[in-house]
Amino acid sequence: MPTEPHIHGINGSVTANFAVRRSVVQGGTRWDISFRVTQTSHIDRVSLDLHDHVSRFIENGFQSWSAVRVTTPDDVKSARAEAPRWFRRQMMADGDDAGRRLSGDTYLVHDHGTIGFLAARETFGRIVVDPAGDVRAEWLFDGALVTPGITYTLDPLWVATGDPGATYSAYAAVSGREMSARAPRPLPRAWCSWYHYFGDVSPADIRENARLAVDHGVTVIQIDDGWQKAIGEWTTVNDAWSTPMAELASDITAVGGTPGIWTAPFLAIDNGSVATAHPEWLVTNDDGRPTTALVHEGWGGKVFALDTTRPDVLHHISSTFATLREHGFTYFKIDFLHAAAAVGHRADRTATRARALRQGLAAVRAGIGDDAYLVGCGCPLLSGVGIVDAMRVSMDVAPYWVPRGFFEGFEDVAVAARNAVGPSALRAPLHQRWFTLDPDCVLLRPTDTELTPEQRVVIAETARATSGFIVLSDRLSTYGDDEWRYVNELLSTSRDGERDLVDPLAANLRIHWPDHETTLNWVDVWSRTTLRDAP
Ligand code: 9PG
C-alpha cells in the first residue's frame, strides 16, 4: 500500500500537511492529493512511493520526439548523462536524471498494469523506475514558490493493475476526459513540404505540389520550416522567399487547397529581433542570462525560450497567430513547444513549467480561433490535450531507416524512419482519446530516397493503423501510377476511431483499429521490417 507523499524543497526540507483521497475510477485507483505548506518555500517536487515493482515497461519520453521503447529497469543508458544539458532537458521531464534512472513521463505502461497522471494542468509528472524496478510518482514543481494559507491540489494520479493493453486504453480514456480532449475533427488529407525539400523550399515548390495534391484529393497544403524571416519572426518572410504569405495562401486557396503553415511559437533565435528588442521576454538561468532551449546549427545556433507567464508575451503570441489567420491560414503546425517548458526562471515565480506551457498553448489557440486546425509537435503530450486537434507522437521520419548521428544513449530519438514508426505504434491508444494522433509523414517517392519499397509500406501502414492521419511529404511529380493508386487506397481505407494495443510489451505488436488488426514485428522494426495486416 502506498504511504504518505513527500515534499522536497529546492534548498532543504519543507514541511507540509497532505490530504489524500482515493476513489475507484474505471477499474483503477484515482488519487486526489492536496497540501498546504507551513512556510513560504520553493518546491522542487512531491513524490509518492508506490510500493510496486516492475520488470518490463514502456519508457515513455517527455514530448513528441522523446524515446518510446519497451525496456527493463536496468537499461538506464548511462551515456545519456554526457549529452548536453539542453538536450537532456528537452527529451526528459527531468533531464538531470538522464543516464541514472528511466521513467514513464506522464504515464508508465508496465508488465502488470498502467500508472499515470490524469492531468498536466499544474505540474509535469513522471513515474520513476529505479534500476531495481521500484516505482514512485513525482509531481515536478520546478522551484515554484508556494505560500502558506493556499491549498495546492496536485494533478490526479491513476493506478491500475491488470492487462497492460486494457489498462493503457482505460488510462488514455480517463485522462482524456479529465483534460477535456477536443471532439475529433474529420481526418485532414495533407501534404507537407519538410521531408522532401527540408529548409530549401520555395513558393514555386509549394504551388507545384498544391496543384498535384488537390487533384488527388489531398487538400491541406502545409508549408514547413524555411519561409520565415528568422526563428521568432513569424509575420515576415525571408529574403529568398519571394512571395508574401497572404499571397501564397490565396494561391493555395485558388486551386482548392487549405493553407497550412509551420511555426515554432515559443522560440527566439539568439541575436534575432525578438531577443534583442525584448530580453525581458526570455526564460533565464540562475545567472540572469537567457536559457539555451536548444542549439540548431541550421537556424544559426543558440535558441532561447519565451517566458509564457508574462501577459505581454502571451499577447504577442496571440496577435502573431491572429495575423497568420488573417493571411488566410487555417491549419497550423506549431513546433518545438517544449521550449515554453524550458528549465529556468520566469516572471511569475509561482508558475511551474507545465503551467507556463499550457498558457502558451492557450495563447496560440486564442490567436488562431477555435475552428482552425492545430497540430502540436515537440510537445509534452498531455499538455496539449483540450487545445490541439492533432499531436505528433514520434521523432521525425526520414528517407532512411536507421539513425545517423546522435548523442550516445539517445539513438532512439534521432531523425530516422524507424524512430517515427516505433513510438507512433506504442502511443496508438492516445488516438482520439487525447487528440488525433500524428504518426508523422508518409514517404512514398521512388527516387531521392534510401527507403526500400517495403520500408515505405511499413511507414504508410503504421500511419493507417495508428490513426489514419495521412500526410504526404514527397515532391509529388515523382509519383507514378503505383504511388497514386496506393495513396488512394490509404485515403479510402483509413478509419477514425480508437486504437488498442493487444499486448504493448510483446515482440509482435498488435494494433487494433476499426475492423482491422495490424501486427508490427518489433525486432524487425529496429533492424529490418515486416508487417502483416489481418482485416
Ligand atoms: C522543421 C522540422 C520539421 C519536423 C519537426 C522538427 O532534435 N532534433 O535534432 C530535431 C530535428 C528536427 C526536428 C525536430 C528535432 O524536426 O519534427 O517535422 O517541422 O522541425 O525544422
Side-chain angles (χ1 to χ4, degrees):
M1 260 296 110
T3 44
E4 269 280 282
H6 284 278
I7 190 160
H8 308 265
I10 285 288
N11 303 306
S13 68
V14 174
T15 47
N17 298 310
F18 283 94
V20 178
R21 196 160 34 100
R22 281 183 290 172
S23 52
V24 175
V25 174
Q26 206 160 335
T29 304
R30 174 185 166 127
W31 290 69
D32 285 287
I33 301 174
S34 59
F35 68 88
R36 278 169 172 252
V37 291
T38 55
Q39 63 199 129
T40 301
S41 325
H42 288 276
I43 302 301
D44 175 41
R45 69 194 71 199
V46 170
S47 68
L48 180 71
D49 189 347
L50 294 169
H51 296 281
D52 200 355
H53 183 92
V54 302
S55 48
R56 292 185 77 228
F57 60 96
I58 300 174
E59 173 180 27
N60 183 49
F62 183 43
Q63 44 111 341
S64 309
W65 310 319
S66 304
V68 187
R69 62 189 182 114
V70 176
T71 188
T72 52
D74 57 345
D75 184 21
V76 297
K77 294 189 180 272
S78 51
R80 285 179 176 179
E82 310 306 321
R85 192 176 71 174
W86 63 265
F87 189 82
R88 289 184 268 118
R89 289 179 169 180
Q90 158 184 321
M91 291 300 179
M92 303 172 77
D94 183 355
D96 301 339
D97 221 10
R100 295 192 295 171
R101 273 176 287 267
L102 298 178
S103 59
D105 287 347
T106 309
Y107 65 87
L108 184 80
V109 177
H110 58 82
D111 42 63
H112 58 276
T114 298
I115 306 166
F117 296 87
L118 296 184
R121 294 184 198 280
E122 301 302 325
T123 64
F124 292 128
R126 58 195 291 254
I127 310 300
V128 187
V129 181
D130 78 13
D134 297 322
V135 292
R136 67 168 182 269
E138 288 185 353
W139 289 260
L140 303 181
F141 275 79
D142 316 307
L145 185 71
V146 299
T147 316
I150 298 179
T151 301
Y152 294 90
T153 302
L154 299 181
D155 289 319
L157 181 72
W158 187 82
V159 182
T161 303
D163 175 75
T167 55
Y168 190 171
S169 292
Y171 163 72
V174 178
S175 47
R177 280 199 297 274
E178 185 75 22
M179 288 294 281
S180 308
R182 285 170 69 85
R185 309 263 298 268
L187 290 167
R189 277 52 183 95
W191 176 86
C192 162
S193 61
W194 184 249
Y195 298 98
H196 195 108
Y197 298 95
F198 298 98
D200 192 18
V201 59
S202 71
D205 298 326
I206 302 298
R207 291 193 192 96
E208 173 192 313
N209 285 282
R211 227 174 303 111
L212 280 167
V214 171
D215 280 351
H216 291 87
V218 175
T219 49
V220 175
I221 306 301
Q222 185 243 304
I223 304 164
D224 213 281
D225 186 3
W227 64 271
Q228 71 281 355
K229 177 92 183 161
I231 293 300
E233 293 169 54
W234 309 112
T235 49
T236 337
V237 297
N238 61 53
D239 293 342
W241 194 269
S242 48
T243 313
M245 287 311 257
E247 189 181 321
L248 195 53
S250 96
D251 292 347
I252 293 170
T253 310
V255 297
T258 300
I261 193 167
W262 173 97
T263 56
F266 309 136
L267 295 181
I269 191 87
D270 186 11
N271 291 318
S273 69
V274 174
T276 308
H278 296 285
E280 74 284 4
W281 282 8
L282 305 174
V283 177
T284 55
N285 293 325
D286 291 345
D287 62 9
R289 298 166 62 86
T291 299
T292 300
L294 62 131
V295 176
H296 192 304
E297 295 311 334
W299 292 340
K302 265 195 284 187
V303 193
F304 302 138
L306 296 185
D307 175 357
T308 52
T309 71
R310 293 177 60 102
D312 49 2
V313 168
L314 295 172
H315 178 262
H316 165 76
I317 292 168
S318 292
S319 68
T320 298
F321 279 87
T323 301
L324 291 172
R325 172 86 201 232
E326 277 162 26
H327 287 168
F329 293 95
T330 54
Y331 179 106
F332 295 86
K333 173 179 174 184
I334 54 172
D335 206 351
F336 293 85
L337 303 178
H338 60 79
V343 174
H345 298 286
R346 294 177 168 76
D348 179 354
R349 297 199 303 153
T350 70
T352 59
R353 292 189 292 149
R355 249 170 56 196
L357 172 57
R358 191 90 184 146
Q359 284 170 15
L361 292 173
V364 173
R365 173 55 84 183
I368 63 173
D370 194 57
D371 59 335
Y373 200 89
L374 184 59
V375 185
C377 187
C379 189
L381 304 186
L382 189 55
S383 296
V385 178
I387 298 177
V388 303
D389 295 291
M391 180 75 90
R392 260 282 291 289
V393 296
S394 70
M395 224 307 157
D396 294 18
V397 72
Y400 48 86
W401 194 256
V402 296
R404 315 172 156 172
F406 41 79
F407 295 114
E408 217 193 316
F410 282 109
E411 58 277 13
D412 298 329
V413 300
V415 172
R418 69 156 213 205
N419 289 344
V421 167
S424 298
L426 285 171
R427 284 170 161 174
L430 305 180
H431 178 59
Q432 292 221 320
R433 296 183 174 109
W434 281 15
F435 34 58
T436 293
L437 182 133
D438 171 5
D440 209 10
C441 297
V442 169
L443 304 181
L444 298 177
R445 59 182 179 263
T447 55
D448 297 306
T449 186
E450 293 171 43
L451 296 167
T452 66
E454 191 192 30
Q455 289 168 339
R456 288 173 231 155
V457 168
V458 172
I459 296 167
E461 294 301 323
T462 301
R464 177 159 63 164
T466 56
S467 71
F469 183 90
I470 305 288
V471 184
L472 305 175
S473 193
D474 297 304
R475 181 176 191 176
L476 297 175
S477 61
T478 63
Y479 285 12
D481 290 346
D482 287 349
E483 286 76 24
W484 283 120
R485 208 174 302 116
Y486 189 39
V487 168
N488 193 42
E489 186 195 318
L490 286 171
L491 297 184
S492 59
T493 58
S494 66
R495 292 282 173 275
D496 234 326
E498 294 168 356
R499 267 63 176 166
D500 301 300
L501 298 178
V502 175
D503 181 354
L505 305 180
N508 287 317
L509 188 72
R510 289 161 61 197
I511 307 164
H512 259 301
W513 53 292
D515 307 320
H516 291 76
E517 183 177 297
T518 298
T519 305
L520 270 181
N521 182 319
W522 221 221
V523 177
D524 282 357
V525 167
W526 301 115
S527 48
R528 294 177 305 114
T529 46
T530 58
L531 184 135
R532 290 178 294 280
D533 183 23

